[in-house]
Amino acid sequence: MPDRIAELYQRHAHAFDSARRRSFPERVWLDRLIRHLPTDGALLDLGCGGGEPVARYLIDRGLHLTGVDIAPAMIQLARTRFPRHRWIEADMRKFGAESNAYDGIIAWSSLFHLDVEWQEKLIPRIAVWLKRGGVALFNTGPARGTAIGELEGEELFHASLAPPEYRALFASSGLAVIAHRIED
């Protein structure tokens, strides 16, 4: 099921993008993230979609974005909207970045589309990509397991580790939890 994510978002890119532009629940979390970043910081957005509303909000605050998304249609939307920033069509499981390249990394509404084994592999890589003192922001489910959501009437895969599993994975990767809220 996680491998169907690309085709699902590609097929429904414009409908998803339209709905996404009308909803911005993560603004409070982005504001918290921004407080930990330098004014002109470099930010990696894994699963960036078409860039609305998250990329626009961050770009408007002076941050330099690199966005990664698996759906070509999503990347094209982001490139059209924000041509001065870097947009990469890639699977976040296979994406490679330089060590210590980013002040912040976001995987909002994207990391949980990977099964738990891939999340366990990606989080240590995120730690390597962050500059010293860098901050990562992502959301997950409230407990270990999988759930099937819906996108335009089609099944959409979600998975999560348990909060203590995430904390242990962070600790082993040299990361610390600044804030965690279950189902915020």
Side-chain angles (χ1 to χ4, degrees):
M1 185 63 115
D3 290 327
R4 290 192 50 238
I5 297 297
E7 64 188 54
L8 188 61
Y9 277 102
Q10 178 65 17
R11 194 167 43 255
H12 299 295
H14 293 284
F16 175 81
D17 183 70
S18 178
R20 190 65 184 95
R21 285 181 294 161
R22 293 188 304 266
S23 175
F24 196 21
E26 64 276 34
R27 182 186 315 215
V28 170
W29 285 102
L30 293 174
D31 286 339
R32 291 181 78 172
L33 173 80
I34 291 167
R35 286 195 300 261
H36 294 279
L37 300 175
T39 306
D40 62 347
L43 199 59
L44 174 64
D45 186 350
L46 296 169
C48 64
E52 292 282 2
V54 173
R56 180 172 305 281
Y57 190 75
L58 297 168
I59 288 167
D60 287 350
R61 277 139 191 86
L63 297 166
H64 302 281
L65 254 66
T66 297
V68 174
D69 202 282
I70 197 167
M74 294 292 196
I75 287 297
Q76 187 55 46
L77 285 168
R79 283 181 182 147
T80 300
R81 291 174 176 148
F82 312 105
R84 294 186 177 154
H85 296 267
R86 188 171 176 221
W87 306 103
I88 301 167
E89 179 189 328
D91 183 331
M92 73 174 83
R93 296 173 294 182
K94 298 173 185 163
F95 175 72
E98 294 179 27
S99 297
N100 305 310
Y102 298 100
D103 298 294
I105 299 176
I106 300 173
W108 194 267
S109 294
S110 61
L111 185 70
F112 58 48
H113 288 314
L114 303 179
D115 60 33
V116 294
E117 291 80 17
W118 271 109
Q119 290 183 45
E120 291 171 332
K121 291 176 186 175
L122 188 58
I123 289 171
R125 292 173 54 211
I126 287 172
V128 169
W129 300 336
L130 282 169
K131 292 178 182 176
R132 183 172 176 77
V135 182
L137 174 66
F138 66 96
N139 52 343
T140 69
R144 183 181 185 92
T146 60
I148 303 300
E150 177 260 322
L151 176 62
E152 294 299 309
E154 295 190 58
E155 291 184 346
L156 183 62
F157 178 87
H158 299 84
S160 184
L161 296 160
E165 292 175 292
Y166 282 116
R167 282 192 292 278
L169 186 55
F170 298 157
S172 69
S173 300
L175 299 171
V177 175
I178 296 172
H180 174 247
R181 299 286 182 277
I182 293 177
E183 297 186 307
D184 183 24

